[in-house]
Amino acid sequence: MNAILVTGAVGQIGTELVQALRKKYGKDCVIAAGHRTKPTKEFIDSGPFQFVNVLDRDQFEKMIVNNDIDTIYHMASILSAVGEMNPQLCYEVNMSGLFNVLEVARIHKLERLITASSIAVFGSGVPRDNTPNDTILLPTTMYGITKVAGELLGTYYFRKFGVDYRSVRLPGIISSETMPAGGTTDYSVEMYCAAVEGRRYTCFVREDTVLPMMYMPDAIKSLMDLAEAAGSQLKHRIFNVHSMSFSAGELADSIREIIPTFVCDYKPDYRQAIADSWPRSLDDSAAREEWNWEPTFDLTRMTEDTIEKLRRKLVK
Ligand SMILES: NC(=O)c1ccc[n+]([C@@H]2O[C@H](COP(=O)([O-])OP(=O)(O)OC[C@H]3O[C@@H](n4cnc5c(N)ncnc54)[C@H](O)[C@@H]3O)[C@@H](O)[C@H]2O)c1
């Protein structure tokens, strides 16, 4: 087997995706590509690591050729909240970066390209409950706009050049391993951390804000299951994946089942408008039918698992 490359490997999803891929395929055939953030020693020791800027096409292309890469999990991106602070950078990384990756995949006839799209593609005017896989896409953020354009570009490369581009529209991802940075659903992980450390938490969205969320092991599972699905079974290239939906208040309640003293108040900031433009739940029947998508965690199990892991990590 040739090698797998993960871009954005030091990010929230990349960090755990690299470990899951190494566990499955062996550590030497998974190359982790970081950007500026210095990884931990433990991460560097876990297998091959290199720095790459996806905006530097030559550097990226050399990395693909020199390492005999045939599959890319492209996780390098600028997320929603940072994207609204710096829309130009968001456009550059999410569009020009993806274009470089698609071009390299086309020229070198790579086997597969997996990307993570987002619920940010939908935007206002789209049904917010059980949002269909195939619907009108009207995002209002630069992040959402780049994700829609990225989906269209990837699908174009599939149809025109046969690049095997596949993507999942991930909801908010919750993880106890790597802290999120710059997303609109970051409050969920921040809330768990504050509760475990015995701190009060001020949530930046309203208590009744409901968003679809997913525990990291299921997010990794969705990316790897889609990558392995038989191409002949796929009618879509892009898939909604749903796991659970809850309000910020319900998350605080589930934490209080284990940490009854936890106090949370709510002070919405500019991220409330982003959250209000996103779906509350997703129709993921296409993913379930075409590649047997099925999540494994619900809110109670996720809260138990997250608090147990964070206690080991944060409380010395
Ligand atoms: N985390 C979530 O809740 C969530 C939800 C939906 C979709 N997604 C998608 O999943 C993917 C991974 O997200 P994440 O949460 O790990 O994001 P992250 O911000 O934690 O990681 C992204 C990584 O991309 C890297 N990067 C930025 N510019 C780069 C460049 N020019 N060249 C190379 N690398 C660069 C950053 O250094 C960072 O480590 C993204 O496509 C994101 O849109 C994430």
Side-chain angles (χ1 to χ4, degrees):
M1 170 183 182
N2 294 355
I4 297 169
L5 180 81
V6 179
T7 69
V10 190
Q12 193 199 11
I13 295 177
T15 304
E16 292 184 55
L17 177 62
V18 165
Q19 302 312 330
L21 289 167
R22 284 185 176 152
K23 200 166 164 198
K24 180 147 195 183
Y25 301 110
K27 77 178 177 71
D28 292 329
C29 58
V30 179
I31 318 288
H35 184 218
R36 290 195 178 134
T37 312
K38 198 167 174 263
T40 60
K41 184 176 176 312
E42 194 189 359
F43 190 82
I44 291 184
D45 290 346
S46 75
F49 177 84
Q50 296 178 34
F51 284 105
V52 79
N53 180 354
V54 292
L55 296 176
D56 184 337
R57 166 87 171 270
D58 289 346
Q59 185 198 32
F60 183 71
E61 192 160 5
K62 276 190 194 119
M63 176 180 258
I64 296 296
V65 173
N66 293 345
N67 292 287
D68 216 3
I69 302 293
D70 72 353
T71 298
I72 302 176
Y73 284 80
H74 178 48
M75 298 295 122
S77 184
I78 299 297
L79 269 63
S80 55
V82 173
E84 283 313 279
M85 296 295 198
N86 192 342
Q88 293 77 10
L89 177 70
C90 182
Y91 183 88
E92 206 36 35
V93 173
N94 296 4
M95 293 312 309
S96 306
L98 175 65
F99 180 72
N100 285 340
V101 172
L102 283 164
E103 270 293 278
V104 169
R106 174 186 72 81
I107 292 163
H108 296 284
K109 299 187 170 38
L110 301 197
E111 177 108 6
R112 199 142 299 159
L113 168 60
I114 312 299
T115 73
S117 188
S118 162
I119 55 168
V121 293
F122 296 109
S124 26
V126 176
R128 293 188 64 208
D129 294 303
N130 215 21
T131 305
N133 202 90
D134 305 314
T135 187
I136 187 164
L137 302 172
L138 295 168
T140 48
T141 60
M142 179 55 96
Y143 176 67
I145 289 166
T146 63
K147 287 293 175 184
V148 172
E151 289 184 355
L152 293 171
L153 196 60
T155 306
Y156 177 84
Y157 267 69
F158 169 69
R159 295 218 177 101
K160 178 107 180 160
F161 304 118
V163 172
D164 193 348
Y165 163 88
R166 305 175 180 193
S167 190
V168 281
R169 288 181 182 140
L170 294 176
I173 304 302
I174 295 177
S175 159
S176 51
E177 300 298 320
T178 313
M179 290 305 110
T184 300
T185 52
D186 293 3
Y187 63 86
S188 44
V189 180
E190 291 171 9
M191 205 183 278
Y192 280 122
C193 290
V196 167
E197 290 177 334
R199 288 185 283 115
R200 184 191 187 98
Y201 180 66
T202 301
C203 181
F204 57 75
V205 296
R206 280 190 322 269
E207 186 172 5
D208 63 355
T209 305
V210 175
L211 285 172
M213 300 276 187
M214 188 180 283
Y215 197 32
M216 184 65 88
D218 279 331
I220 304 289
K221 179 176 180 297
S222 73
L223 290 161
M224 289 173 62
D225 284 359
L226 176 58
E228 287 184 358
S232 57
Q233 300 297 312
L234 301 183
K235 297 189 191 86
H236 294 80
R237 307 316 297 177
I238 296 132
F239 295 89
N240 286 358
V241 280
H242 186 73
S243 171
M244 55 184 117
S245 291
F246 48 80
S247 68
E250 284 166 337
L251 177 61
D253 286 343
S254 93
I255 293 173
R256 276 190 287 268
E257 292 284 323
I258 301 175
I259 306 174
T261 52
F262 174 56
V263 179
C264 186
D265 47 30
Y266 301 85
K267 216 183 208 178
D269 68 12
Y270 71 99
R271 288 168 282 194
Q272 183 70 53
I274 302 179
D276 287 342
S277 73
W278 287 358
R280 283 183 286 257
S281 61
L282 304 166
D283 174 357
D284 62 357
S285 48
R288 288 175 189 262
E289 280 159 24
E290 293 173 38
W291 47 280
N292 300 321
W293 157 245
E294 200 173 355
T296 49
F297 283 85
D298 61 15
L299 177 56
T300 305
R301 273 195 68 206
M302 176 176 74
T303 297
E304 286 166 1
D305 199 58
T306 303
I307 289 182
E308 190 194 316
K309 291 198 169 118
L310 284 175
R311 275 184 169 148
R312 269 189 259 134
K313 197 168 155 177
L314 300 176
V315 184
K316 301 280 170 203

